[in-house]
Amino acid sequence: MSGIAPKLPLSYSGTNGYTLLRNFTQTAKQNFKMLILTNPGERVMYPEYGVGITRFLFENFTSNTYARIDTRLREQVKLYMPYIQIQEVNFNGTDDSRNTLGVRIVYTIPQIGVRDLLEFTI
């Protein structure tokens, strides 16, 4: 079967081989998530690549921290994924669990007419 890119994390099926992403929407979403989760310095030949959101995990969740994450996110998308337009970024740091941060990002890809949502908790 054909595809655009391997789906991460890698999984192998004896029938079809590695699981593949089959459209540009899935590929863009996976690449966007990798940009957010990658720490600067982790990607070979691109020392500035990555938002490094996990570096913020044990900071106090204040409006200043959220603003720093938002700024870093928008700068990285503008530089490495200019086809994505961020519409909205929301953070959910709760008092119940001070060691987690929920992130909700609404984005569009105007060239292919896609509006999507990326949600995750770190």
Side-chain angles (χ1 to χ4, degrees):
M1 299 191 118
S2 64
I4 297 173
K7 183 176 181 182
L8 300 175
L10 290 175
S11 61
Y12 187 79
S13 164
T15 307
N16 297 323
Y18 287 102
T19 306
L20 300 174
L21 299 173
R22 306 221 182 273
N23 61 52
F24 291 112
T25 303
Q26 292 174 337
T27 304
K29 189 172 194 171
Q30 177 175 283
N31 291 344
F32 189 25
K33 186 175 181 180
M34 293 303 114
L35 176 71
I36 295 167
L37 295 175
T38 301
N39 288 315
E42 283 184 334
R43 185 154 179 198
V44 177
M45 303 294 290
Y46 293 95
E48 295 298 318
Y49 179 90
V51 173
I53 198 163
T54 56
R55 296 179 305 166
F56 297 95
L57 185 56
F58 294 103
E59 292 191 21
N60 292 324
F61 296 139
T62 64
S63 58
N64 184 37
T65 304
Y66 297 147
R68 287 178 33 225
I69 296 170
D70 187 89
T71 300
R72 179 75 181 169
L73 174 67
R74 291 177 190 277
E75 288 171 350
Q76 289 289 300
V77 166
K78 184 177 180 181
L79 185 61
Y80 294 106
M81 300 182 81
Y83 54 89
I84 288 182
Q85 293 181 357
I86 297 173
Q87 304 298 315
E88 182 181 328
V89 180
N90 294 310
F91 300 98
N92 182 16
T94 63
D95 291 335
D96 296 339
S97 182
R98 293 185 181 268
N99 295 335
T100 62
L101 176 64
V103 182
R104 182 178 190 271
I105 304 168
V106 177
Y107 66 95
T108 60
I109 306 173
Q111 292 86 347
I112 58 174
V114 170
R115 180 178 173 91
D116 205 352
L117 171 68
L118 178 60
E119 288 184 297
F120 57 92
T121 302
I122 57 165

